[in-house]
Amino acid sequence: MDSYQNAAQLAALTQPQDPVFCIRPHAAQTAARWFLTHFPGETFYAVKANPSPWLLRTLYEAGVTRFEVASIAEVRLIAELFPDATIAFMHPVKAREAIAEAYHQHGVRTFSLDNEDELEKILAATGHAQDLTLCVRLAVSNDHAKISLARKFGASGADAVRLLQKTRLATPRLGVAFHVGSQTMSPDAYVAAIDTVEQVVVQAGVIVDVLDVGGGFPSAYPGMFPPPLENYAAAIKARFEKMLVAENCVLWCEPGRALSAESSSLIVRVEARKGGSLHLNEGVYGALFDAGHLKWPFPVGHLAHRTQPTELAPFSFYGPTCDDLDFIEGPYHLPSDVKAGDYLEVGMLGAYGVAMRTGFNGFAAYREIKVNDAPMLSVYKTNDPLPAIGKEAANVQ
Ligand SMILES: *Cc1c(COP(=O)(O)O)cnc(C)c1O
């Protein structure tokens, strides 16, 4: 595979017309190794964060051989790439046909549920199989997360108690799962969630065999620097060890963002400048969905060879589609002389970047090319936390 030193070299040498994902397998390896050595349990990669085959292969080769999926297409993708991988099908509401295919054709044995309809579906679709691990998804607070995932899924109160009791009777291996929300900025969120889970489990009077603390592990973004990931692992381990569960209960996690965010950045081209607005060849119907809709603060740098520092000015972006919504307010601080034909690098787009591209309006083309430099920011200490392209112009503060 061709590779370049960094995005600036890639842009200068290839002058790409379409957006280019700069992929950093080394960053994904670092993240995988961190979870495999520091998380006190099993790590499942949440495929929805970034299903790119190069990333899946990198994680698998680094030792992350378990995958958390939410759709039958994700089940098929993982089963085809890695026939011996462990797949957990953790969407709490699934199609009957998807459950049956996952169980009978792809060897999936772990499913989640948060309602009694789903329990009935899983049992019927698997022929009342006796080799299942069924994880009841419980509702927990998402108050420490930048993106809440609390509204849609998770049983609570008397419903949760009844569902745990029914599921316990139906399966040899019962798990409890939750999600504290994405980009969770404090380890306390996991501790509070385990408090909640313990109360419900005690009320139900059941023994659980798996505690799955889900995803939510943070990455680093400008103005959003979480405490060290070691603190998360330590807090989860300490609380888990105090939990009133069977001695052989195992601990799982399902990081998406933390395993993928640092592994890609995106080179985009300025196609036109109108005052303080730049029209780019990528936008909210592409990898910049979160930048526009959630005002997510990605680091953005100007890829140009400069001999002296330039004055910065604030810019907002328009994406390439004909829709007014294709707008990213920013502001991003870039050299005031930025112009059509220039290239920008948007960092930290490995999670929920390539996964969000729609192809709307025909803007679907992109390439993936390997680069060897460090990600613009990192939660893993082995990487240089400073961007190679100059901190002022990269919006990383
Ligand atoms: C989205 C999701 C994850 C991954 O979440 P991150 O915040 O990216 O770590 C894990 N588990 C489930 C069930 C999810 O829906």
Side-chain angles (χ1 to χ4, degrees):
M1 198 202 293
D2 268 1
S3 81
Y4 294 85
Q5 229 173 309
N6 52 38
Q9 188 198 40
L10 194 167
L13 293 179
T14 70
Q15 300 282 308
Q17 176 190 343
D18 296 316
V20 177
F21 278 93
C22 298
I23 64 174
R24 293 176 178 77
H26 66 88
Q29 279 161 7
T30 299
R33 261 186 244 124
W34 189 91
F35 272 89
L36 293 171
T37 53
H38 291 81
F39 185 76
E42 302 292 355
T43 299
F44 290 69
Y45 172 57
V47 172
K48 80 166 182 287
N50 185 341
S52 301
W54 75 265
L55 175 64
L56 298 171
R57 282 198 196 92
T58 303
L59 294 173
Y60 182 86
E61 281 160 18
V64 176
T65 58
R66 294 161 200 265
F67 296 87
E68 184 274 328
V69 302
S71 63
I72 192 63
E74 289 179 349
V75 171
R76 291 176 193 145
L77 173 68
I78 299 301
E80 195 162 305
L81 283 173
F82 318 117
D84 62 346
T86 302
I87 301 175
F89 199 168
M90 300 302 265
H91 195 304
V93 179
K94 295 170 286 301
R96 232 172 249 281
E97 297 85 344
I99 299 165
E101 181 182 329
Y103 181 82
H104 293 289
Q105 294 181 39
H106 306 297
V108 178
R109 294 293 177 265
T110 301
F111 298 88
S112 88
L113 65 153
D114 71 353
N115 63 90
E116 294 188 25
D117 287 341
E118 191 73 8
L119 177 59
E120 185 279 323
K121 270 190 272 173
I122 294 169
L123 296 176
T126 62
H128 291 260
Q130 282 305 302
D131 56 356
L132 299 176
T133 298
L134 297 185
C135 293
V136 173
R137 170 88 169 254
L138 298 174
V140 299
S141 164
N142 274 211
D143 290 350
H144 286 282
K146 293 289 179 184
I147 302 176
S148 172
L149 302 172
R151 195 166 1 146
K152 200 164 171 183
F153 299 127
S156 58
D159 290 343
V161 168
R162 197 170 48 245
L163 186 58
L164 277 170
Q165 291 167 338
K166 281 201 157 186
T167 309
R168 175 75 280 178
L169 291 175
T171 184
R173 204 152 174 251
L174 172 67
V176 278
F178 58 77
H179 200 301
V180 292
S182 206
Q183 185 71 7
T184 289
M185 296 301 285
S186 168
D188 296 346
Y190 293 88
V191 175
I194 300 173
D195 290 345
T196 303
V197 165
E198 188 178 53
Q199 279 170 20
V200 181
V201 168
V202 167
Q203 254 181 297
V206 296
I207 295 210
V208 297
D209 307 295
V210 178
L211 172 66
D212 177 355
V213 301
F217 297 89
S219 189
Y221 301 91
M224 230 192 252
F225 297 99
L229 280 186
E230 284 79 1
N231 297 14
Y232 290 74
I236 291 168
K237 182 168 191 282
R239 184 63 188 85
F240 175 62
E241 283 171 355
K242 280 201 311 192
M243 196 179 165
L244 300 169
V245 288
E247 232 169 68
N248 55 358
C249 179
V250 295
L251 187 63
W252 292 355
C253 68
E254 308 168 352
R257 182 185 301 279
L259 282 175
S260 58
E262 297 182 12
S263 70
S264 304
S265 59
L266 183 70
I267 297 176
V268 295
R269 188 161 73 180
V270 178
E271 300 296 5
R273 172 173 177 177
K274 298 180 188 165
S277 299
L278 304 180
H279 286 249
L280 306 180
N281 60 351
E282 182 77 347
V284 306
Y285 293 94
L288 301 180
F289 181 98
D290 283 355
H293 292 302
L294 304 180
K295 298 193 186 341
W296 200 263
F298 294 100
V300 179
H302 185 230
L303 299 176
H305 186 70
R306 293 180 179 283
T307 46
Q308 53 201 35
T310 39
E311 202 187 314
L312 300 179
F315 290 93
S316 51
F317 302 150
Y318 282 104
T321 71
C322 300
D323 187 338
D324 270 5
L325 273 182
D326 199 355
F327 174 65
I328 299 158
E329 192 180 336
Y332 295 95
H333 294 272
L334 297 166
S336 55
D337 60 357
V338 61
K339 60 187 185 310
D342 287 358
Y343 289 96
L344 308 179
E345 182 183 15
V346 185
M348 312 303 289
L349 263 180
Y352 307 110
V354 66
M356 307 303 283
R357 302 189 96 239
T358 63
F360 177 50
N361 228 169
F363 296 98
Y366 72 97
R367 295 175 64 203
E368 288 177 335
I369 299 177
K370 195 171 140 191
V371 296
N372 299 315
D373 64 344
M376 287 193 196
L377 297 166
S378 182
V379 294
Y380 303 103
K381 295 198 181 76
T382 50
N383 287 319
D384 178 357
L386 294 178
I389 51 179
K391 194 170 161 95
E392 314 76 47
N395 297 277
V396 295
Q397 293 90 339

